[in-house]
Amino acid sequence: MTIQQNISLKDFNTFGLDVKAERFVSIRSEEALIDFYKRFPEEPKFILGGGSNILLTKDIPGIVLHIDLKGISIVSSDSHSVIIESMAGENWHEFVEYCLENDFGGIENLSLIPGNVGTAPIQNIGAYGVELKDVFESCRAFDIETKSFRTFTKAECNFGYRQSVFKQELKGKYIITSVRFRLSSSKHQIKTSYGAINEALAKANITNPTIQDVSRAVITIRESKLPNPKKIGNSGSFFKNPLVPRDQFDQLKTNFPNIPSYPVNDNFVKIPAGWLIEKSGFKGKRFGAYGVHDKQALVLVNHGNAKGTDILNLAKLIQMTIKRIFDINLEAEVNIID
Ligand code: EPU
C-alpha cells in the first residue's frame, strides 16, 4: 500500500477541479482496507469513488482513500436471470457494457452514467425510467467503526429518488465494497416509455428493440444533452428535481401555463429543475471559466480553470433566484465538500 503526498485530485473528480489531497492511497482489496484502518486509526479520512457526484471547494486534509477494488463475477443463475457481482471500483458504464455484451438486461437505460459501481447505490442513480434499486439485490460494505463487513439487502438500503440510507442515517459510516444485481438473461423487459427513447428508436427505424438498441438510444440522447466530463468538467444534474405541493403547482400554472411536471402522488408534483433554471435565464450563461450548460440547464460546468467556490457561488445564486421567482427551494444533488 503506497501513501502518496500532496496529490492533485483533478483527474479524480469529473468537475476537473484542481484541489489537493494532503495524502492519497488507492485501496485495491478488502484486506488492504482493513489493514489501512488498523494502521491509520486517527487520521481524518475522505472516501473517494468515481468522483462524479462531488464538488470539491478546498484542499482535503488527512488521507483520501480512493476505492479501486476491481472485478466482476456471476454469482448464480437460473433460466431467466443472473445475480452478478461487481466490485465497487469498476467504472459504471464499463459494467453496463459488460452486461450488454453478455446479454444481461436491466441496466441498459442507465448507460453512460459517470461514476463507479460502488457509489451508484448511495444516490440510487437513475435515468430514463429506471433506477438502480430496480435491479439491486444487495451490497457488501465495510463498517468503519467495527472494521468488519456486512451485507445490506435492498430493504435495508431504504432507496428513494436520488436517496438511500448511505446518504442519510448511515452517512460516513460505511464504505461499499461490492454490489450484487439481479439482471434478466432472457425475456428482457424493455423500458422505452420515456419519450425520448421511443423517438430515438423510431429515428433509427427500430420497431422491436433489443437491450443493446435501448442502450444505444440512451447514449445518443445523453450525448446530445449532457457534456462529456472528459471534455467539459461537470457532475451531471447539479440539483434534484423539486417536489412541490399540488396547490402551489396550480398557482404556478396560472402564472406559467407551460410549466412541465411529473405526477408523484395526490399531494405533490415534481417539476424539472432544468426548466426552472432555463426560465430564470441561466441556461448557457458563462461566467469566465464556469457556467450553466447550454443544452441542459440542470448541469453546471467547469470550462477550464474554475474553482469549486466559483461553482458553489453560482449554485447559490441559482437557488436564490429560483426561490425569488417561483418560491421553490432547489436542493443540490451533488455532494458539496466545503
Ligand atoms: N428542461 C428544460 N430546460 C432544460 C432542461 C430540461 O426546460 O435546460 C425541461 C424540459 O421540459 C424537459 C424536462 O425538463 O422535458 C426534463 O428534462 P430531461 O429529460 O433532460 O431530464 P431531467 O428531469 O432534467 C433527470 C435526471 C437526469 C436523467 C434524466 C433522464 C435528476 C436530477 N436528473 O433530468 O439524471 O439523466 O432525468 O432520465 O433527476 C443525473 O442525475 O446526474 C442525471 C443526469
Side-chain angles (χ1 to χ4, degrees):
M1 185 186 329
T2 319
I3 313 261
Q4 295 170 280
Q5 311 267 347
N6 209 22
I7 290 291
S8 168
L9 296 178
K10 195 172 176 12
D11 293 337
F12 292 95
N13 72 103
T14 57
F15 258 123
L17 295 163
D18 192 7
V19 304
K20 292 208 158 50
E22 191 181 336
R23 284 184 282 169
F24 180 95
V25 62
S26 281
I27 298 292
R28 302 223 162 85
S29 69
E30 289 189 347
E31 296 70 36
L33 191 56
I34 300 169
D35 185 37
F36 174 83
Y37 271 88
K38 279 191 189 147
R39 275 175 59 191
F40 300 95
E42 303 301 336
E43 280 76 356
K45 298 172 190 73
F46 181 88
I47 314 301
L48 180 66
S52 63
N53 206 38
I54 46 170
L55 177 67
L56 299 166
T57 64
K58 59 176 176 47
D59 292 343
I60 308 290
I63 311 180
V64 170
L65 270 83
H66 179 224
I67 304 302
D68 202 20
L69 300 146
K70 301 280 190 197
I72 299 174
S73 56
I74 294 167
V75 178
S76 64
S77 60
D78 58 31
S79 48
H80 296 309
S81 68
V82 287
I83 303 276
I84 182 159
E85 180 176 274
S86 169
M87 298 305 285
E90 291 287 347
N91 172 273
W92 174 262
H93 184 63
E94 286 171 19
F95 174 64
V96 173
E97 285 180 323
Y98 171 92
C99 293
L100 291 169
E101 276 158 25
N102 287 281
D103 206 34
F104 299 150
I107 51 176
E108 54 283 356
N109 295 44
L110 304 180
S111 295
L112 214 60
I113 295 185
N116 286 354
V117 172
T119 38
I122 299 176
Q123 60 148 349
N124 182 25
I125 59 169
Y128 306 104
V130 173
E131 287 184 336
L132 175 116
K133 73 170 170 53
D134 303 334
V135 289
F136 180 93
E137 183 73 12
S138 64
C139 67
R140 186 169 148 89
F142 178 71
D143 180 334
I144 292 173
E145 197 173 320
T146 63
K147 295 172 192 49
S148 59
F149 286 88
R150 76 164 263 201
T151 298
F152 284 86
T153 62
K154 188 191 307 206
E156 286 167 334
C157 292
N158 211 3
F159 290 122
Y161 167 57
R162 298 294 191 276
Q163 204 54 268
S164 78
V165 74
F166 303 108
K167 261 179 114 170
Q168 305 260 304
E169 55 267 41
L170 298 186
K171 189 172 178 178
K173 296 194 186 319
Y174 284 87
I175 299 172
I176 296 174
T177 52
S178 63
V179 186
R180 288 185 177 190
F181 302 87
R182 181 180 289 276
L183 301 178
S184 54
S185 52
S186 63
K187 297 188 181 161
H188 302 304
Q189 276 195 313
I190 304 286
K191 292 190 181 159
T192 59
S193 57
Y194 189 96
I197 296 189
N198 276 328
E199 267 170 46
L201 289 168
K203 234 186 224 168
N205 284 323
I206 294 165
T207 46
N208 200 2
T210 62
I211 53 175
Q212 291 78 7
D213 292 328
V214 173
S215 170
R216 277 188 287 272
V218 167
I219 289 172
T220 306
I221 301 165
R222 287 189 76 97
E223 283 180 338
S224 72
K225 287 190 182 184
L226 299 167
N228 179 346
K230 289 194 179 119
K231 294 185 184 141
I232 303 176
N234 77 91
S235 224
S237 303
F238 194 92
F239 302 101
K240 290 189 196 178
N241 287 333
L243 292 183
V244 299
R246 195 162 274 279
D247 48 354
Q248 184 184 358
F249 177 72
D250 293 340
Q251 184 60 46
L252 282 166
K253 188 106 182 137
T254 57
N255 297 335
F256 305 96
N258 298 329
I259 188 167
S261 63
Y262 311 109
V264 173
N265 56 35
D266 287 349
N267 303 323
F268 286 93
V269 291
K270 196 185 269 185
I271 300 180
W275 184 88
L276 297 169
I277 300 169
E278 176 169 351
K279 200 74 187 162
S280 313
F282 283 104
K283 188 170 185 173
K285 271 265 157 71
R286 188 166 172 169
F287 306 86
Y290 61 98
V292 178
H293 189 50
D294 56 353
K295 299 194 184 73
Q296 162 55 291
L298 195 46
V299 179
L300 305 189
V301 290
N302 172 12
H303 290 287
N305 294 320
K307 294 202 164 15
T309 45
D310 294 334
I311 294 168
L312 181 56
N313 288 336
L314 172 59
K316 286 181 180 162
L317 176 65
I318 291 173
Q319 283 170 318
M320 270 165 24
T321 310
I322 302 287
K323 179 73 182 166
R324 184 168 47 76
I325 301 177
F326 302 101
D327 194 24
I328 290 176
N329 294 314
L330 272 195
E331 207 186 308
E333 199 227 83
V334 166
N335 278 313
I336 296 165
I337 312 300
D338 59 353

PDB file of all heavy atoms in Angstrom, residues 225-255:
ATOM      1  N   LYS A 225     -27.400  15.957 -24.912  1.00  0.00           N
ATOM      2  CA  LYS A 225     -27.800  16.916 -23.861  1.00  0.00           C
ATOM      3  C   LYS A 225     -26.726  17.172 -22.826  1.00  0.00           C
ATOM      4  O   LYS A 225     -26.640  18.257 -22.266  1.00  0.00           O
ATOM      5  CB  LYS A 225     -28.996  16.350 -23.085  1.00  0.00           C
ATOM      6  CG  LYS A 225     -30.286  16.366 -23.805  1.00  0.00           C
ATOM      7  CD  LYS A 225     -31.368  16.017 -22.801  1.00  0.00           C
ATOM      8  CE  LYS A 225     -32.712  15.976 -23.470  1.00  0.00           C
ATOM      9  NZ  LYS A 225     -33.769  15.746 -22.523  1.00  0.00           N
ATOM     10  N   LEU A 226     -25.982  16.103 -22.502  1.00  0.00           N
ATOM     11  CA  LEU A 226     -25.093  16.210 -21.337  1.00  0.00           C
ATOM     12  C   LEU A 226     -23.639  16.302 -21.779  1.00  0.00           C
ATOM     13  O   LEU A 226     -23.212  15.550 -22.665  1.00  0.00           O
ATOM     14  CB  LEU A 226     -25.288  14.980 -20.432  1.00  0.00           C
ATOM     15  CG  LEU A 226     -26.701  14.808 -19.879  1.00  0.00           C
ATOM     16  CD1 LEU A 226     -26.887  13.429 -19.262  1.00  0.00           C
ATOM     17  CD2 LEU A 226     -26.992  15.887 -18.838  1.00  0.00           C
ATOM     18  N   PRO A 227     -22.881  17.212 -21.207  1.00  0.00           N
ATOM     19  CA  PRO A 227     -21.481  17.354 -21.625  1.00  0.00           C
ATOM     20  C   PRO A 227     -20.635  16.160 -21.173  1.00  0.00           C
ATOM     21  O   PRO A 227     -20.845  15.631 -20.080  1.00  0.00           O
ATOM     22  CB  PRO A 227     -21.034  18.635 -20.908  1.00  0.00           C
ATOM     23  CG  PRO A 227     -21.984  18.831 -19.789  1.00  0.00           C
ATOM     24  CD  PRO A 227     -23.265  18.146 -20.135  1.00  0.00           C
ATOM     25  N   ASN A 228     -19.706  15.746 -22.011  1.00  0.00           N
ATOM     26  CA  ASN A 228     -18.777  14.676 -21.659  1.00  0.00           C
ATOM     27  C   ASN A 228     -17.761  15.221 -20.651  1.00  0.00           C
ATOM     28  O   ASN A 228     -17.016  16.145 -20.968  1.00  0.00           O
ATOM     29  CB  ASN A 228     -18.079  14.208 -22.944  1.00  0.00           C
ATOM     30  CG  ASN A 228     -17.068  13.113 -22.675  1.00  0.00           C
ATOM     31  OD1 ASN A 228     -16.688  12.869 -21.523  1.00  0.00           O
ATOM     32  ND2 ASN A 228     -16.631  12.460 -23.739  1.00  0.00           N
ATOM     33  N   PRO A 229     -17.735  14.656 -19.434  1.00  0.00           N
ATOM     34  CA  PRO A 229     -16.840  15.218 -18.407  1.00  0.00           C
ATOM     35  C   PRO A 229     -15.365  15.197 -18.815  1.00  0.00           C
ATOM     36  O   PRO A 229     -14.573  15.964 -18.274  1.00  0.00           O
ATOM     37  CB  PRO A 229     -17.078  14.344 -17.181  1.00  0.00           C
ATOM     38  CG  PRO A 229     -18.030  13.281 -17.568  1.00  0.00           C
ATOM     39  CD  PRO A 229     -18.530  13.530 -18.952  1.00  0.00           C
ATOM     40  N   LYS A 230     -15.013  14.348 -19.793  1.00  0.00           N
ATOM     41  CA  LYS A 230     -13.601  14.344 -20.228  1.00  0.00           C
ATOM     42  C   LYS A 230     -13.295  15.605 -21.028  1.00  0.00           C
ATOM     43  O   LYS A 230     -12.142  15.998 -21.173  1.00  0.00           O
ATOM     44  CB  LYS A 230     -13.311  13.105 -21.065  1.00  0.00           C
ATOM     45  CG  LYS A 230     -13.306  11.864 -20.187  1.00  0.00           C
ATOM     46  CD  LYS A 230     -12.698  10.656 -20.872  1.00  0.00           C
ATOM     47  CE  LYS A 230     -12.717   9.482 -19.932  1.00  0.00           C
ATOM     48  NZ  LYS A 230     -13.497   8.346 -20.412  1.00  0.00           N
ATOM     49  N   LYS A 231     -14.352  16.235 -21.570  1.00  0.00           N
ATOM     50  CA  LYS A 231     -14.133  17.459 -22.363  1.00  0.00           C
ATOM     51  C   LYS A 231     -14.510  18.712 -21.568  1.00  0.00           C
ATOM     52  O   LYS A 231     -13.805  19.698 -21.590  1.00  0.00           O
ATOM     53  CB  LYS A 231     -14.951  17.388 -23.643  1.00  0.00           C
ATOM     54  CG  LYS A 231     -14.452  16.269 -24.559  1.00  0.00           C
ATOM     55  CD  LYS A 231     -15.191  16.282 -25.882  1.00  0.00           C
ATOM     56  CE  LYS A 231     -14.748  15.091 -26.730  1.00  0.00           C
ATOM     57  NZ  LYS A 231     -15.852  14.503 -27.462  1.00  0.00           N
ATOM     58  N   ILE A 232     -15.658  18.670 -20.896  1.00  0.00           N
ATOM     59  CA  ILE A 232     -16.097  19.828 -20.096  1.00  0.00           C
ATOM     60  C   ILE A 232     -16.441  19.304 -18.698  1.00  0.00           C
ATOM     61  O   ILE A 232     -17.339  18.457 -18.555  1.00  0.00           O
ATOM     62  CB  ILE A 232     -17.358  20.490 -20.702  1.00  0.00           C
ATOM     63  CG1 ILE A 232     -17.112  20.912 -22.155  1.00  0.00           C
ATOM     64  CG2 ILE A 232     -17.780  21.705 -19.868  1.00  0.00           C
ATOM     65  CD1 ILE A 232     -18.345  21.485 -22.844  1.00  0.00           C
ATOM     66  N   GLY A 233     -15.744  19.816 -17.698  1.00  0.00           N
ATOM     67  CA  GLY A 233     -15.953  19.336 -16.334  1.00  0.00           C
ATOM     68  C   GLY A 233     -17.395  19.529 -15.890  1.00  0.00           C
ATOM     69  O   GLY A 233     -17.971  20.606 -16.078  1.00  0.00           O
ATOM     70  N   ASN A 234     -17.990  18.503 -15.326  1.00  0.00           N
ATOM     71  CA  ASN A 234     -19.357  18.619 -14.803  1.00  0.00           C
ATOM     72  C   ASN A 234     -19.673  17.412 -13.940  1.00  0.00           C
ATOM     73  O   ASN A 234     -18.926  16.434 -13.918  1.00  0.00           O
ATOM     74  CB  ASN A 234     -20.372  18.744 -15.947  1.00  0.00           C
ATOM     75  CG  ASN A 234     -20.656  17.412 -16.624  1.00  0.00           C
ATOM     76  OD1 ASN A 234     -21.566  16.689 -16.230  1.00  0.00           O
ATOM     77  ND2 ASN A 234     -19.856  17.057 -17.624  1.00  0.00           N
ATOM     78  N   SER A 235     -20.796  17.492 -13.245  1.00  0.00           N
ATOM     79  CA  SER A 235     -21.176  16.419 -12.333  1.00  0.00           C
ATOM     80  C   SER A 235     -22.608  15.974 -12.609  1.00  0.00           C
ATOM     81  O   SER A 235     -23.348  15.654 -11.689  1.00  0.00           O
ATOM     82  CB  SER A 235     -21.054  16.952 -10.920  1.00  0.00           C
ATOM     83  OG  SER A 235     -20.424  16.004 -10.125  1.00  0.00           O
ATOM     84  N   GLY A 236     -23.013  15.998 -13.881  1.00  0.00           N
ATOM     85  CA  GLY A 236     -24.396  15.642 -14.226  1.00  0.00           C
ATOM     86  C   GLY A 236     -25.358  16.657 -13.620  1.00  0.00           C
ATOM     87  O   GLY A 236     -25.000  17.834 -13.444  1.00  0.00           O
ATOM     88  N   SER A 237     -26.536  16.200 -13.258  1.00  0.00           N
ATOM     89  CA  SER A 237     -27.524  17.109 -12.667  1.00  0.00           C
ATOM     90  C   SER A 237     -26.950  17.678 -11.375  1.00  0.00           C
ATOM     91  O   SER A 237     -26.606  16.916 -10.477  1.00  0.00           O
ATOM     92  CB  SER A 237     -28.805  16.355 -12.311  1.00  0.00           C
ATOM     93  OG  SER A 237     -29.334  15.718 -13.433  1.00  0.00           O
ATOM     94  N   PHE A 238     -26.904  18.986 -11.279  1.00  0.00           N
ATOM     95  CA  PHE A 238     -26.364  19.582 -10.049  1.00  0.00           C
ATOM     96  C   PHE A 238     -27.433  19.614  -8.963  1.00  0.00           C
ATOM     97  O   PHE A 238     -27.136  19.502  -7.781  1.00  0.00           O
ATOM     98  CB  PHE A 238     -25.837  20.996 -10.311  1.00  0.00           C
ATOM     99  CG  PHE A 238     -24.980  21.503  -9.197  1.00  0.00           C
ATOM    100  CD1 PHE A 238     -23.606  21.317  -9.229  1.00  0.00           C
ATOM    101  CD2 PHE A 238     -25.540  22.089  -8.070  1.00  0.00           C
ATOM    102  CE1 PHE A 238     -22.803  21.722  -8.170  1.00  0.00           C
ATOM    103  CE2 PHE A 238     -24.743  22.503  -7.004  1.00  0.00           C
ATOM    104  CZ  PHE A 238     -23.379  22.314  -7.059  1.00  0.00           C
ATOM    105  N   PHE A 239     -28.703  19.768  -9.391  1.00  0.00           N
ATOM    106  CA  PHE A 239     -29.815  19.854  -8.429  1.00  0.00           C
ATOM    107  C   PHE A 239     -30.764  18.684  -8.628  1.00  0.00           C
ATOM    108  O   PHE A 239     -30.798  18.072  -9.696  1.00  0.00           O
ATOM    109  CB  PHE A 239     -30.598  21.161  -8.646  1.00  0.00           C
ATOM    110  CG  PHE A 239     -29.764  22.404  -8.510  1.00  0.00           C
ATOM    111  CD1 PHE A 239     -29.303  23.077  -9.633  1.00  0.00           C
ATOM    112  CD2 PHE A 239     -29.431  22.895  -7.260  1.00  0.00           C
ATOM    113  CE1 PHE A 239     -28.533  24.227  -9.513  1.00  0.00           C
ATOM    114  CE2 PHE A 239     -28.669  24.047  -7.128  1.00  0.00           C
ATOM    115  CZ  PHE A 239     -28.215  24.714  -8.255  1.00  0.00           C
ATOM    116  N   LYS A 240     -31.563  18.423  -7.595  1.00  0.00           N
ATOM    117  CA  LYS A 240     -32.640  17.447  -7.734  1.00  0.00           C
ATOM    118  C   LYS A 240     -33.849  18.151  -8.338  1.00  0.00           C
ATOM    119  O   LYS A 240     -34.019  19.365  -8.155  1.00  0.00           O
ATOM    120  CB  LYS A 240     -33.064  16.932  -6.360  1.00  0.00           C
ATOM    121  CG  LYS A 240     -32.060  16.054  -5.696  1.00  0.00           C
ATOM    122  CD  LYS A 240     -32.734  15.463  -4.465  1.00  0.00           C
ATOM    123  CE  LYS A 240     -31.740  14.888  -3.519  1.00  0.00           C
ATOM    124  NZ  LYS A 240     -32.386  14.370  -2.310  1.00  0.00           N
ATOM    125  N   ASN A 241     -34.701  17.395  -8.994  1.00  0.00           N
ATOM    126  CA  ASN A 241     -35.971  17.963  -9.442  1.00  0.00           C
ATOM    127  C   ASN A 241     -36.858  18.143  -8.208  1.00  0.00           C
ATOM    128  O   ASN A 241     -37.126  17.181  -7.487  1.00  0.00           O
ATOM    129  CB  ASN A 241     -36.648  17.030 -10.449  1.00  0.00           C
ATOM    130  CG  ASN A 241     -35.948  17.044 -11.801  1.00  0.00           C
ATOM    131  OD1 ASN A 241     -35.309  18.036 -12.166  1.00  0.00           O
ATOM    132  ND2 ASN A 241     -36.048  15.957 -12.537  1.00  0.00           N
ATOM    133  N   PRO A 242     -37.319  19.378  -7.933  1.00  0.00           N
ATOM    134  CA  PRO A 242     -38.050  19.608  -6.674  1.00  0.00           C
ATOM    135  C   PRO A 242     -39.483  19.082  -6.696  1.00  0.00           C
ATOM    136  O   PRO A 242     -40.134  19.062  -7.739  1.00  0.00           O
ATOM    137  CB  PRO A 242     -38.047  21.136  -6.559  1.00  0.00           C
ATOM    138  CG  PRO A 242     -37.938  21.624  -7.960  1.00  0.00           C
ATOM    139  CD  PRO A 242     -37.124  20.613  -8.711  1.00  0.00           C
ATOM    140  N   LEU A 243     -39.927  18.674  -5.512  1.00  0.00           N
ATOM    141  CA  LEU A 243     -41.337  18.303  -5.327  1.00  0.00           C
ATOM    142  C   LEU A 243     -42.068  19.531  -4.799  1.00  0.00           C
ATOM    143  O   LEU A 243     -41.604  20.155  -3.853  1.00  0.00           O
ATOM    144  CB  LEU A 243     -41.458  17.205  -4.267  1.00  0.00           C
ATOM    145  CG  LEU A 243     -40.907  15.828  -4.585  1.00  0.00           C
ATOM    146  CD1 LEU A 243     -41.201  14.873  -3.428  1.00  0.00           C
ATOM    147  CD2 LEU A 243     -41.514  15.301  -5.870  1.00  0.00           C
ATOM    148  N   VAL A 244     -43.190  19.860  -5.398  1.00  0.00           N
ATOM    149  CA  VAL A 244     -43.957  20.994  -4.850  1.00  0.00           C
ATOM    150  C   VAL A 244     -45.389  20.549  -4.553  1.00  0.00           C
ATOM    151  O   VAL A 244     -45.939  19.687  -5.250  1.00  0.00           O
ATOM    152  CB  VAL A 244     -43.967  22.221  -5.800  1.00  0.00           C
ATOM    153  CG1 VAL A 244     -42.576  22.748  -6.062  1.00  0.00           C
ATOM    154  CG2 VAL A 244     -44.660  21.912  -7.103  1.00  0.00           C
ATOM    155  N   PRO A 245     -45.990  21.147  -3.520  1.00  0.00           N
ATOM    156  CA  PRO A 245     -47.381  20.801  -3.207  1.00  0.00           C
ATOM    157  C   PRO A 245     -48.300  21.154  -4.386  1.00  0.00           C
ATOM    158  O   PRO A 245     -48.061  22.140  -5.088  1.00  0.00           O
ATOM    159  CB  PRO A 245     -47.703  21.679  -1.988  1.00  0.00           C
ATOM    160  CG  PRO A 245     -46.383  22.102  -1.438  1.00  0.00           C
ATOM    161  CD  PRO A 245     -45.432  22.132  -2.586  1.00  0.00           C
ATOM    162  N   ARG A 246     -49.331  20.338  -4.574  1.00  0.00           N
ATOM    163  CA  ARG A 246     -50.203  20.492  -5.734  1.00  0.00           C
ATOM    164  C   ARG A 246     -50.863  21.887  -5.800  1.00  0.00           C
ATOM    165  O   ARG A 246     -50.968  22.472  -6.882  1.00  0.00           O
ATOM    166  CB  ARG A 246     -51.272  19.397  -5.713  1.00  0.00           C
ATOM    167  CG  ARG A 246     -51.988  19.232  -7.017  1.00  0.00           C
ATOM    168  CD  ARG A 246     -52.703  17.908  -7.093  1.00  0.00           C
ATOM    169  NE  ARG A 246     -51.837  16.842  -7.556  1.00  0.00           N
ATOM    170  CZ  ARG A 246     -51.540  16.617  -8.829  1.00  0.00           C
ATOM    171  NH1 ARG A 246     -52.007  17.406  -9.772  1.00  0.00           N
ATOM    172  NH2 ARG A 246     -50.765  15.613  -9.173  1.00  0.00           N
ATOM    173  N   ASP A 247     -51.258  22.437  -4.648  1.00  0.00           N
ATOM    174  CA  ASP A 247     -51.912  23.760  -4.725  1.00  0.00           C
ATOM    175  C   ASP A 247     -50.921  24.842  -5.154  1.00  0.00           C
ATOM    176  O   ASP A 247     -51.271  25.755  -5.897  1.00  0.00           O
ATOM    177  CB  ASP A 247     -52.653  24.123  -3.423  1.00  0.00           C
ATOM    178  CG  ASP A 247     -51.825  23.913  -2.182  1.00  0.00           C
ATOM    179  OD1 ASP A 247     -50.704  23.372  -2.326  1.00  0.00           O
ATOM    180  OD2 ASP A 247     -52.272  24.282  -1.077  1.00  0.00           O
ATOM    181  N   GLN A 248     -49.652  24.698  -4.725  1.00  0.00           N
ATOM    182  CA  GLN A 248     -48.637  25.658  -5.191  1.00  0.00           C
ATOM    183  C   GLN A 248     -48.423  25.483  -6.701  1.00  0.00           C
ATOM    184  O   GLN A 248     -48.285  26.458  -7.447  1.00  0.00           O
ATOM    185  CB  GLN A 248     -47.303  25.458  -4.459  1.00  0.00           C
ATOM    186  CG  GLN A 248     -46.264  26.510  -4.862  1.00  0.00           C
ATOM    187  CD  GLN A 248     -44.892  26.276  -4.230  1.00  0.00           C
ATOM    188  OE1 GLN A 248     -44.706  25.352  -3.448  1.00  0.00           O
ATOM    189  NE2 GLN A 248     -43.933  27.114  -4.571  1.00  0.00           N
ATOM    190  N   PHE A 249     -48.441  24.232  -7.144  1.00  0.00           N
ATOM    191  CA  PHE A 249     -48.262  23.977  -8.573  1.00  0.00           C
ATOM    192  C   PHE A 249     -49.411  24.600  -9.378  1.00  0.00           C
ATOM    193  O   PHE A 249     -49.185  25.229 -10.419  1.00  0.00           O
ATOM    194  CB  PHE A 249     -48.164  22.464  -8.851  1.00  0.00           C
ATOM    195  CG  PHE A 249     -48.057  22.162 -10.308  1.00  0.00           C
ATOM    196  CD1 PHE A 249     -46.880  22.451 -11.016  1.00  0.00           C
ATOM    197  CD2 PHE A 249     -49.127  21.629 -11.011  1.00  0.00           C
ATOM    198  CE1 PHE A 249     -46.782  22.203 -12.372  1.00  0.00           C
ATOM    199  CE2 PHE A 249     -49.034  21.379 -12.372  1.00  0.00           C
ATOM    200  CZ  PHE A 249     -47.859  21.672 -13.058  1.00  0.00           C
ATOM    201  N   ASP A 250     -50.656  24.446  -8.878  1.00  0.00           N
ATOM    202  CA  ASP A 250     -51.805  25.020  -9.592  1.00  0.00           C
ATOM    203  C   ASP A 250     -51.655  26.536  -9.730  1.00  0.00           C
ATOM    204  O   ASP A 250     -51.953  27.109 -10.773  1.00  0.00           O
ATOM    205  CB  ASP A 250     -53.114  24.687  -8.849  1.00  0.00           C
ATOM    206  CG  ASP A 250     -53.408  23.193  -8.906  1.00  0.00           C
ATOM    207  OD1 ASP A 250     -52.850  22.516  -9.801  1.00  0.00           O
ATOM    208  OD2 ASP A 250     -54.163  22.696  -8.046  1.00  0.00           O
ATOM    209  N   GLN A 251     -51.146  27.160  -8.667  1.00  0.00           N
ATOM    210  CA  GLN A 251     -50.912  28.598  -8.690  1.00  0.00           C
ATOM    211  C   GLN A 251     -49.835  28.952  -9.734  1.00  0.00           C
ATOM    212  O   GLN A 251     -49.997  29.874 -10.550  1.00  0.00           O
ATOM    213  CB  GLN A 251     -50.456  29.037  -7.284  1.00  0.00           C
ATOM    214  CG  GLN A 251     -50.250  30.521  -7.109  1.00  0.00           C
ATOM    215  CD  GLN A 251     -51.538  31.292  -7.368  1.00  0.00           C
ATOM    216  OE1 GLN A 251     -52.599  30.918  -6.874  1.00  0.00           O
ATOM    217  NE2 GLN A 251     -51.441  32.356  -8.179  1.00  0.00           N
ATOM    218  N   LEU A 252     -48.737  28.164  -9.722  1.00  0.00           N
ATOM    219  CA  LEU A 252     -47.651  28.404 -10.683  1.00  0.00           C
ATOM    220  C   LEU A 252     -48.166  28.267 -12.115  1.00  0.00           C
ATOM    221  O   LEU A 252     -47.781  29.012 -13.010  1.00  0.00           O
ATOM    222  CB  LEU A 252     -46.505  27.408 -10.453  1.00  0.00           C
ATOM    223  CG  LEU A 252     -45.571  27.690  -9.271  1.00  0.00           C
ATOM    224  CD1 LEU A 252     -44.713  26.463  -8.956  1.00  0.00           C
ATOM    225  CD2 LEU A 252     -44.651  28.885  -9.574  1.00  0.00           C
ATOM    226  N   LYS A 253     -49.053  27.321 -12.294  1.00  0.00           N
ATOM    227  CA  LYS A 253     -49.577  27.022 -13.634  1.00  0.00           C
ATOM    228  C   LYS A 253     -50.362  28.218 -14.193  1.00  0.00           C
ATOM    229  O   LYS A 253     -50.350  28.451 -15.404  1.00  0.00           O
ATOM    230  CB  LYS A 253     -50.463  25.771 -13.522  1.00  0.00           C
ATOM    231  CG  LYS A 253     -50.936  25.204 -14.797  1.00  0.00           C
ATOM    232  CD  LYS A 253     -50.195  23.916 -15.149  1.00  0.00           C
ATOM    233  CE  LYS A 253     -50.689  23.395 -16.485  1.00  0.00           C
ATOM    234  NZ  LYS A 253     -49.649  22.938 -17.350  1.00  0.00           N
ATOM    235  N   THR A 254     -51.011  28.981 -13.304  1.00  0.00           N
ATOM    236  CA  THR A 254     -51.734  30.152 -13.812  1.00  0.00           C
ATOM    237  C   THR A 254     -50.746  31.222 -14.266  1.00  0.00           C
ATOM    238  O   THR A 254     -50.983  31.909 -15.243  1.00  0.00           O
ATOM    239  CB  THR A 254     -52.697  30.742 -12.751  1.00  0.00           C
ATOM    240  OG1 THR A 254     -51.939  31.067 -11.588  1.00  0.00           O
ATOM    241  CG2 THR A 254     -53.813  29.801 -12.396  1.00  0.00           C
ATOM    242  N   ASN A 255     -49.598  31.316 -13.565  1.00  0.00           N
ATOM    243  CA  ASN A 255     -48.592  32.317 -13.968  1.00  0.00           C
ATOM    244  C   ASN A 255     -47.713  31.831 -15.115  1.00  0.00           C
ATOM    245  O   ASN A 255     -47.231  32.617 -15.917  1.00  0.00           O
ATOM    246  CB  ASN A 255     -47.692  32.679 -12.781  1.00  0.00           C
ATOM    247  CG  ASN A 255     -48.473  33.328 -11.659  1.00  0.00           C
ATOM    248  OD1 ASN A 255     -49.525  33.917 -11.904  1.00  0.00           O
ATOM    249  ND2 ASN A 255     -47.996  33.202 -10.435  1.00  0.00           N
TER     250      ASN A 255
END
